[in-house]
Amino acid sequence: MASCLALAGCGDTQEPSEAEVAAEDTKPIGSYTVDPETGEVRAMHTDGDGTRTTLAAGRTVDPVLPAPFVLPPGATIESVTRVEQGEGRLVTIVFASELDREALADFYRELAGETGFSVTSDIPGESALVLAGEDVDDGTTFAATIRASDGGSEAELTVSAGIG
């Protein structure tokens, strides 16, 4: 008798409820790829409420910075990481410049001042200069770490608009 009840339980199949189907439809989904030729990484994630986040990282990623930020003339890009979420964007660019450390910092100080950003950190360290600021009106932030190098400087610039 017990084996009949056990077998009867195995054959019991039910259609999923509407709530179960809806829960399945709102599960996060995503993808991750690496280009074998360039090493570029791309990832995409859509969370349960439908918000889509994308990431692209590598030397060949389009280095579009949120306005008003730009790279100095003659900059050589080493790598780019770009995250987009809805209308927001966060971009980090590692680059080299012919400008020396102080001239590159002045380039970003002037850009910030001309476009309504307040510089919240300006720290001249022994190995690197750190510069950061924000536009209080729209929440855009930036941070730059600038190091002296042979023939100029090396820097990492991160600009975030609408993320974080």
Side-chain angles (χ1 to χ4, degrees):
M1 178 95 146
S3 58
C4 288
L5 288 175
L7 285 174
C10 290
D12 187 21
T13 60
Q14 294 180 353
E15 292 296 315
S17 71
E18 284 184 34
E20 290 171 323
V21 169
E24 187 66 31
D25 288 343
T26 61
K27 282 189 179 176
I29 58 170
S31 64
Y32 179 87
T33 61
V34 177
D35 184 313
E37 291 180 25
T38 66
E40 183 177 303
V41 174
R42 292 204 176 262
M44 185 277 302
H45 178 264
T46 302
D47 63 19
D49 69 3
T51 302
R52 184 177 193 175
T53 303
T54 62
L55 170 128
R59 195 177 277 258
T60 59
V61 172
D62 191 6
V64 177
L65 288 162
F69 284 88
V70 295
L71 294 178
T76 304
I77 295 172
E78 299 296 323
S79 70
V80 177
T81 301
R82 188 179 67 230
V83 177
E84 295 174 344
Q85 184 176 64
E87 296 296 315
R89 186 176 345 156
L90 179 140
V91 180
T92 298
I93 301 177
V94 177
F95 65 96
S97 174
E98 294 175 352
L99 298 173
D100 67 25
R101 183 176 103 159
E102 194 58 39
L104 184 57
D106 284 342
F107 176 84
Y108 285 112
R109 284 183 194 108
E110 289 173 20
L111 178 68
E114 291 170 359
T115 58
F117 280 75
S118 65
V119 174
T120 56
S121 296
D122 194 340
I123 306 165
E126 194 172 308
S127 62
L129 184 149
V130 176
L131 188 64
E134 67 180 326
D135 180 335
V136 294
D137 292 335
D138 71 5
T140 300
T141 61
F142 78 94
T145 302
I146 306 167
R147 293 177 266 328
S149 70
D150 293 336
S153 59
E154 296 175 346
E156 179 177 294
L157 173 66
T158 299
V159 182
S160 177
I163 293 182

